[in-house]
Amino acid sequence: MATLFLNKTLIVNNKDNDELELERELIRALENKVMLLYFGSSECPECKEFAPILKEFFVKLTDEFYVERASQLVLVYVSLDETEEKQNKFLKTMPKRWLFLPFQDEFKRELELRFSVKDLPVVVVLKPNGEVIVANAVEEIKQTGPACFKNWQEAADLVERNFLLAQDFDNVALRSVTDPICRFKYKLAKKKRKKRNKDDDGGGLFP
C-alpha cells in the first residue's frame, strides 16, 4: 500500500461520511489500486468545467451500471476550496466512492508541495506504492476518457483481483470481529494524544 496516507484519516463521500483511519481500513481502500489525487476547487472556473468530466470518467470505471466489476481505481479529492461549506456542497454532486481529507488537515498543503501543484485542476496518477505514473492527467482524461485507465493499470503492475478473492474471503469473518475492537483502541489512543498535546501547550486555545 502507498504509505502516503498512513496515520491519516480519509473520509468516504457517502451519506454517513465514514472515516477510514485504522491502518487496516486504509489498506483495504487503497492497496492494489491506481490512485488519483484530484487537486481542485469549486470556485476555480477550469475546475468547474473539468469536474463533470472527471465524475463521468470515474463512474464509468467503477459503477456497476457501466461495468460488471469496478476497476482497481481510487480517487482522493484534495480540496483547495475556500470554506468547508463550499467543499461539502461540491462533494454532494460527486460520486459516493470518492475519498477526501478532512477540511482542516494541513496534509493537503504538504501534498500540494510534494506534487508541485500550481494551476488547478490537477490529477496526479499514482501506483499503489506512491510512485507517480502521470504528474497531471487532466488533458489525458479529457481527450482519452476511461480508455487511458488501461495504460495506468499496466504501469502500476496491479495484481489481478481474482487472485486476491480467496484470501479476502478467508479474512472477512476475522476482520468483522476485530475491526470494532481496533477502532475503539485507536480512538482511545487518539484522544490521549490530543489531551497530551493540549497539556504540553499549556492548555491554550488551540488543540
Side-chain angles (χ1 to χ4, degrees):
M1 179 195 78
T3 56
L4 197 59
F5 293 103
L6 207 58
N7 300 319
K8 298 295 177 185
T9 297
L10 287 174
I11 302 171
V12 184
N13 190 38
N14 58 15
K15 184 179 67 174
D16 298 322
N17 283 157
D18 295 321
E19 292 187 357
L20 307 178
E21 51 192 359
L22 297 177
E23 183 177 344
R24 181 182 288 121
E25 292 173 326
L26 291 167
I27 288 173
R28 278 158 59 187
L30 304 177
E31 76 171 343
N32 199 41
K33 292 178 182 175
V34 170
M35 183 191 299
L36 305 184
L37 298 184
Y38 172 44
F39 295 84
S41 164
S42 56
E43 296 299 296
C44 152
E46 291 80 7
C47 296
K48 285 181 180 179
E49 178 188 336
F50 176 65
I53 297 170
L54 181 61
K55 176 182 179 178
E56 183 180 13
F57 172 86
F58 183 84
V59 167
K60 283 189 173 179
L61 285 166
T62 59
D63 194 298
E64 60 186 14
F65 181 82
Y66 295 98
V67 288
E68 186 176 338
R69 191 174 62 190
S71 299
Q72 290 163 277
L73 177 69
V74 63
L75 185 147
V76 179
Y77 177 52
V78 185
S79 165
L80 301 179
D81 295 290
E82 293 176 1
T83 66
E84 189 169 6
E85 289 72 23
K86 288 179 180 178
Q87 171 193 279
N88 293 342
K89 184 178 179 182
F90 166 72
L91 284 170
K92 281 180 181 177
T93 67
M94 291 296 116
K96 291 179 172 57
R97 292 189 185 189
W98 278 22
L99 305 175
F100 61 98
L101 285 158
F103 185 76
Q104 302 296 341
D105 194 335
E106 287 301 315
F107 186 55
K108 293 188 293 185
R109 308 301 163 223
E110 291 182 38
L111 291 172
E112 274 187 85
L113 292 172
R114 182 179 303 196
F115 297 107
S116 304
V117 174
K118 295 182 175 69
D119 298 322
L120 300 178
V122 170
V123 175
V124 183
V125 185
L126 301 173
K127 296 181 181 181
N129 66 3
E131 290 180 26
V132 176
I133 299 174
V134 184
N136 189 1
V138 168
E139 290 306 315
E140 189 177 355
I141 291 170
K142 282 182 180 178
Q143 293 170 17
T144 314
C148 62
F149 176 74
K150 187 177 180 183
N151 295 332
W152 304 343
Q153 188 176 24
E154 290 174 358
D157 296 323
L158 300 183
V159 177
E160 187 61 41
R161 188 161 38 190
N162 284 337
F163 182 74
L164 300 175
L165 285 179
Q167 181 184 347
D168 289 346
F169 183 77
D170 289 341
N171 289 338
V172 70
L174 179 63
R175 284 201 301 260
S176 65
V177 172
T178 58
D179 274 2
I181 299 168
C182 292
R183 179 180 288 281
F184 179 69
K185 288 181 179 177
Y186 180 90
K187 287 189 180 297
L188 282 179
K190 203 172 179 183
K191 284 180 181 177
K192 285 180 182 176
R193 281 200 305 272
K194 283 184 178 178
K195 185 177 187 304
R196 188 162 59 244
N197 291 339
K198 189 174 181 180
D199 291 343
D200 290 345
D201 291 341
L205 292 174
F206 300 98

